[in-house]
Amino acid sequence: MNMDYKRLGYFAGIGLGIIVVTAFIFSQIIFPIVLGRTPKVEVPELTGKSLTLAKRILSEEKLHLVVKDSLFSEIDPIDAVIEQIPPAGDKIRQDGTVYLIVSKGSATVEVPYIIGKSFQEAFITLRNSNLHSVVADSTYSDLYPVNCVVRSIPFSGDKVSKQSTVKLILSRGNMPVPDSLSTEQPIYPY
């Protein structure tokens, strides 16, 4: 009985092998001969172009596009093609694939000018610049109303990594004037 399962496994393995070899022969030899091989086309230059334009160009050439990777680049704008495989000028079959490496843009961002803005405005401005914010301290200020940014660390204009945290020092408003009734005046005898 155990021998029957072993023989059955051998026959199943041989049958599966025959199917795989037959499928390979048909897909790589017989179908291309009967249907004709697709013509080769020259790979267009895509480096420096936007991803949208690269898709359009490859579609016109009947080529497929796959984004292989994306990297930070201080030179190339977001979604610009940095590298292509195969390179421009190589010939590949129509319906072939061109692999692209595209730019994620700069890894750094400039801290926007937020001095004098309300905390809410500063929070939104920083978030739109791919930065986080935290209130680090508050101080009295004659120049800025309550809850407006007096100072930021790092300062406006500094370059920092995306997703960095900017510390905010907010205004408490004007320094309170001492109450004349509550201050004790020294009493001098006359």
Side-chain angles (χ1 to χ4, degrees), residues 78-110:
I78 294 174
D79 282 343
V81 177
I82 298 173
E83 187 179 333
Q84 67 182 68
I85 304 163
D90 280 10
K91 294 207 178 237
I92 61 172
R93 298 215 178 271
Q94 276 186 344
D95 291 331
T97 303
V98 177
Y99 298 91
L100 302 180
I101 298 174
V102 297
S103 171
K104 290 199 277 187
S106 176
T108 61
V109 65
E110 189 174 297

Side-chain angles (χ1 to χ4, degrees), residues 130-183:
N130 286 320
L131 295 169
H132 300 286
S133 60
V134 63
V135 176
D137 202 358
S138 63
T139 185
Y140 291 111
S141 171
D142 294 334
L143 294 174
Y144 302 108
V146 176
N147 287 332
C148 286
V149 178
V150 175
R151 191 171 356 132
S152 68
I153 304 168
F155 300 109
S156 299
D158 287 354
K159 290 259 188 185
V160 295
S161 298
K162 287 183 178 177
Q163 304 302 322
S164 294
T165 299
V166 177
K167 295 177 184 177
L168 303 177
I169 290 87
L170 300 181
S171 171
R172 290 185 188 173
N174 293 332
M175 182 175 278
V177 178
D179 188 6
S180 60
L181 297 176
S182 67
T183 59

